[in-house]
Amino acid sequence: MASDTPVDAVVLVGGKGTRLRPLTLSAPKPMLPTAGVPFLTHLLARIKAAGITHVVLGTSFKAEVFEEYFGDGSDLGLEIEYVTETEPLGTGGGIRNVLPKLRADNVIVFNGDVLGGMDLRDVLASHTEHEADVTLHLVRVGDPRAFGCVTTDGDGRVADFLEKTQDPPTDQINAGCYVFKREIIEKIPAGRPVSVEREVFPSLLADGRRVFGFVDNSYWRDMGTPEDFVHGSADLVRGVAQSPALDGQRGESLVHPGAGIAPGAVLIGGTVVGRGAEVGAGARLDGAILFDGAVVEAGATVERSIVGFGARIGPRALVRDAVIGDGADIGARCELLRGARVWPGVALPDGGVRFSTDV
Ligand code: GTP
């Protein structure tokens, strides 16, 4: 459908990203650096690769940041427009709110925090074949309990839509990408918060609308938590996940040309080192993400963790499965493990936080 019939793309980017705090205190989640570019760039490149050029961003939280960076989209070969909610309208309300900007009869809608490899032309083709009102991209996951589960019948028609449940009847989950007939969007109530998952989809099913699932086995990851963000970023660096926004070179690390890496530092596991960041001698970075200007001093270890803009990790400190906020200063020999989150600007003195008693 995409190349011959016009389709609009809508990306919902208005969420507060609370699960990724404190990183999302200063930047909205879709703008966090991911393998060298703001996360949203990967999704926009996929949209472009599918032959879609008109993109509307539904913004709310830190709305201005998106337009400052992407402008009219021409650098990416896109035409990007912005619609801002003064009060967040939720996922369904956000879709309804961009209606005045939509031009095509069919609209592909994305959550702005999903890293995926699905060819968008396939879900659009499936939507056309089924003459669907709505087509949901579904993926199969090992543990569906944290997601919206979607059961389908033998023809792929959606039977039930269940938000997070402890006893999921299927391993098919809502992958956060939908194709809507424009007329369905027109029916979403305007001017109030609406959840597409809890309100729009259940009511479409209750009304007997043609809602279909498109299931595929491509790469998929919701980047909403630190664990997933670290994992997804490493997958992009190592080529496990593909993105048209990255060139073909993949390896154990991605280092910005302006970063400084001292001799003897080890960078593995899909580590990313941002612009102006510094890594000291003998430091070990395994699946680490260093935002621009971050510093890891000599002999420190950073594993599966994110180090925010301008933050510093002191000599021989250990940071594992942690998030270090922008500008934080972690003293020498500190140990930050297992989900620790340090708020922006916080300074920990040398040896000030330990999990062990040796010095
Ligand atoms: P958490 O607070 O960590 O759950 O993150 P979030 O606020 O991003 O929520 P969630 O991950 O459930 O949102 C899924 C997608 O919808 C993300 O891309 C959000 O940016 C987007 N989104 C969530 N709420 C709104 C909203 O009220 N308006 C708009 N325009 N987008 C939203």
Side-chain angles (χ1 to χ4, degrees), residues 11-20 29-30 57-60 83 85 87-91 93-95 110-114 164 197 222 224:
V11 189
L12 298 171
V13 293
K16 293 197 172 81
T18 53
R19 290 166 297 160
L20 273 171
K29 177 167 55 173
L57 298 190
T59 62
S60 177
V83 182
E85 299 146 42
E87 289 298 319
L89 292 172
T91 45
I95 298 168
F110 300 88
N111 283 353
D113 55 358
V114 169
K164 305 173 181 73
E197 301 90 351
D222 176 334

Side-chain angles (χ1 to χ4, degrees), residues 157-199:
R157 192 159 177 163
V158 173
D160 218 348
F161 194 97
L162 304 151
E163 265 302 275
K164 305 173 181 73
T165 157
Q166 280 308 303
D167 190 17
T170 171
D171 61 356
Q172 293 180 167
I173 63 150
N174 169 14
C177 166
Y178 327 107
V179 189
F180 278 86
K181 270 190 184 159
R182 182 200 159 98
E183 63 192 68
I184 299 292
I185 296 176
E186 289 166 0
K187 294 194 171 67
I188 298 174
R192 69 162 171 89
V194 180
S195 160
V196 76
E197 301 90 351
R198 285 189 290 277
E199 191 172 342

Side-chain angles (χ1 to χ4, degrees), residues 20 27 37 127 194 228 236 276 348:
L20 273 171
V37 290
H127 183 72
V194 180
D228 280 313
L236 278 168
L348 300 179

Side-chain angles (χ1 to χ4, degrees), residues 93-108:
I95 298 168
R96 174 64 180 79
N97 198 49
V98 305
L99 181 65
K101 298 282 188 197
L102 301 179
R103 305 167 186 161
D105 291 338
N106 288 283
V107 182
I108 186 162

